[in-house]
Structures are given as C-alpha cells and as structure tokens.
Amino acid sequence: GMSLFGHHMEDFATILRAVNSCWRVILGDFDMSQLILEGPGYFEAMLWFWTFTLLVVLIMFNMVLSIIMDSYTEVKSQLGGDSETLFSQTYEIYRRWRGKQKGE
C-alpha cells in the first residue's frame, strides 16, 4: 500500500501509517472513496484493495484450518489405531443425510 498510495495519500506516507491504514482496512474502518479519489486511480485502488483483502482472508482461513486439523489429529491419536478416518466419517455423514432426504 505504501508504494502505491504513499505519494498520493497521507495515510500511506510512512511505514507506520501504512501498517495502521492496512489494519483499518482489515477492520472495515476506512473510506473507500478517499482511497479511489486521492490514490493513483480507480483500477489500482480496487486491485490493491481486493488483492489485500483476499490475501488476508486466505491467511486467516489457513490459520483456522490449521487449528482444526491440529485438534483433529490430537483427538484421533488419543483414540488409537482402529479409529475411522476423516474421509470415512465424512462419507458416513453424507450417506446418512442422503438416506434421510430419501426417507429411508
């Protein structure tokens, strides 16, 4: 953000201000019209915003998935070697759901 908006906007002029502005974007506390009007242009502002948002969402999703898989692995290791796999559990849940949908 600093390299793209730093020359045009005071909020991205220094590294600390740019980090603060990115944090505000993550929290939703920012003015998109200011980003578009005072920035280098509409296309650049939108490209930066959506790329930044997508990367943050992917990183957060990866963290949540890691926590879930870590907990699953820990519980599965406590159950022993003859426990069901994630795939077999998912298939069983799907099979029961389909049976319920069909009225079986």
Side-chain angles (χ1 to χ4, degrees):
M2 184 176 157
S3 60
L4 187 60
F5 301 111
H7 300 293
H8 304 283
M9 297 177 64
E10 197 172 309
D11 289 344
F12 288 91
T14 66
I15 291 177
L16 292 176
R17 287 183 182 175
V19 169
N20 186 43
S21 296
C22 289
W23 179 251
R24 290 179 59 204
V25 167
I26 291 171
L27 297 177
D29 180 30
F30 70 101
D31 186 13
M32 190 65 171
S33 61
Q34 179 187 13
L35 197 65
I36 292 170
L37 295 175
E38 293 182 19
Y42 178 82
F43 177 76
E44 292 85 356
M46 283 293 151
L47 181 67
W48 177 83
F49 173 76
W50 286 110
T51 303
F52 179 74
T53 303
L54 182 66
L55 287 174
V56 168
V57 166
L58 287 175
I59 289 169
M60 293 297 186
F61 180 70
N62 190 17
M63 291 171 67
V64 168
L65 192 59
S66 297
I67 292 168
I68 291 170
M69 290 307 294
D70 186 46
S71 298
Y72 176 80
T73 304
E74 183 178 330
V75 168
K76 187 175 177 193
S77 68
Q78 292 174 356
L79 291 177
D82 60 343
S83 61
E84 285 188 289
T85 64
L86 183 59
F87 178 74
S88 65
Q89 289 175 351
T90 305
Y91 177 72
E92 182 64 26
I93 291 170
Y94 173 74
R95 192 179 64 74
R96 288 180 187 170
W97 177 78
R98 288 293 292 170
K100 188 176 179 182
Q101 293 294 322
K102 291 180 180 179
E104 296 175 3

